[in-house]
Amino acid sequence: METKAVAKYIRVTPRKARLVVNLIRGKRVADATAILKFLPQYAATPVKKLLYSAIANAEQKEIKDVENMIISKVFVDQGSTLKRFMPRAMGRANIIRKRTSHITLFLSDEKGG
């Protein structure tokens, strides 16, 4: 059995979110929550919330033994970019790109997915 959770428009760059996501891919739910709890990265908080959402989705589907489920697939896609301008010298402006991420997480009973 497989469950899915998606978080869209998370205000963290996809590159930084992928660093966190790569640490929990293929791990059991109990191990992944312990890893995410102690990571200093900002992206660990939204990924941890997404993992809890996937666990709640699994419990809603009445899947037994949720703590032993495995994170079979997890990936980060780029969302829309907020464009802001910062004034510079002599009337110029620099663009600031505030990137967003879409994070998708799949839980499954067995390793294959």
Side-chain angles (χ1 to χ4, degrees):
M1 195 75 181
E2 189 172 71
T3 57
K4 171 183 167 181
V6 179
K8 291 189 173 188
Y9 303 105
I10 303 297
R11 265 291 291 125
V12 64
T13 63
R15 184 175 180 176
K16 292 177 183 179
R18 284 186 192 111
L19 293 173
V20 173
V21 161
N22 288 339
L23 293 174
I24 64 166
R25 186 177 289 121
K27 301 268 194 295
R28 290 183 329 121
V29 170
D31 297 336
T33 54
I35 290 170
L36 290 173
K37 185 176 180 180
F38 295 107
L39 276 180
Q41 282 86 0
Y42 172 80
T45 304
V47 172
K48 184 171 61 171
K49 287 183 179 182
L50 182 65
L51 179 59
Y52 289 150
S53 175
I55 292 169
N57 291 345
E59 289 172 352
Q60 188 69 27
K61 284 186 171 182
E62 297 179 354
I63 297 175
K64 294 172 178 50
D65 202 22
V66 176
E67 288 297 317
N68 288 327
M69 292 184 82
I70 292 173
I71 300 172
S72 59
K73 293 185 278 188
V74 57
F75 51 89
V76 179
D77 296 324
Q78 183 170 348
S80 59
T81 302
L82 303 170
K83 294 178 180 75
R84 301 292 181 258
F85 293 97
M86 177 177 279
R88 306 305 285 180
M90 293 186 280
R92 294 183 175 94
N94 280 357
I95 190 167
I96 296 174
R97 293 177 190 89
K98 298 186 179 217
R99 301 180 192 272
T100 62
S101 302
H102 302 320
I103 306 171
T104 308
L105 190 137
F106 288 90
L107 295 178
S108 68
D109 292 337
E110 65 278 346
K111 184 124 176 119

